[in-house]
Amino acid sequence: VRDEGSAEAALPALRADVPHLIVSDLNMPGMDGLQFLAAVRADPKLANVPFIMLTGSAEREIVQKAAALKVNNYVVKPFTQATLRQKIEAVFGALN
């Protein structure tokens, strides 16, 4: 788990040490979650990293944009630990 402080700062850190999963909020200062997702998908080193978007909005337009950018899963806040676990398991399979 790491928090780089901003999506802009996260990109070079992610390129240097490619993670197994990215969990990002939609609403962030500077680059929002959709822009961050687009940047991740456009980067050859990061393009295939599973990406879960967290948001307080279930607006259809936002969900569709995230799906078009190939988000792996979407979690609407507030959520429980069990909900997040289900979303991660939907990406990777059942966790032990």
Side-chain angles (χ1 to χ4, degrees), residues 37-44 47:
L37 174 57
V40 166
R41 292 297 181 241
D43 188 300

Side-chain angles (χ1 to χ4, degrees), residues 6-7 11 17-18 24 26 30 32 35 37-39 53 60-61 67 71-72 74 76-77 80 82 88 92:
S6 72
L11 285 170
D17 185 18
V18 178
S24 175
L26 173 67
D32 72 20
Q35 293 166 323
L37 174 57
M53 181 78 65
R60 184 179 189 156
E61 181 180 344
V71 73
N72 295 87
Y74 196 86
V76 178
K77 297 185 261 181
T80 64
I88 293 170
F92 289 109

Side-chain angles (χ1 to χ4, degrees), residues 1 3-4 9-10 21 24-25 30-31 35 43-44 48 56 58 61 65 71 74-75 78 80 87-88 90 93-94:
V1 173
D3 180 356
E4 298 298 332
L21 172 68
S24 175
D25 202 331
M31 181 184 289
Q35 293 166 323
D43 188 300
N48 295 317
E61 181 180 344
K65 285 180 182 179
V71 73
Y74 196 86
V75 181
T80 64
K87 299 294 183 169
I88 293 170

Side-chain angles (χ1 to χ4, degrees), residues 23-84:
V23 179
S24 175
D25 202 331
L26 173 67
N27 297 313
M28 299 184 289
M31 181 184 289
D32 72 20
L34 291 173
Q35 293 166 323
F36 181 49
L37 174 57
V40 166
R41 292 297 181 241
D43 188 300
K45 282 188 88 172
L46 302 173
N48 295 317
V49 175
F51 196 111
I52 296 176
M53 181 78 65
L54 306 176
T55 181
S57 172
E59 280 184 47
R60 184 179 189 156
E61 181 180 344
I62 293 171
V63 173
Q64 288 174 335
K65 285 180 182 179
L69 292 168
K70 299 183 179 161
V71 73
N72 295 87
N73 222 319
Y74 196 86
V75 181
V76 178
K77 297 185 261 181
F79 59 90
T80 64
Q81 182 179 5
T83 299
L84 183 58

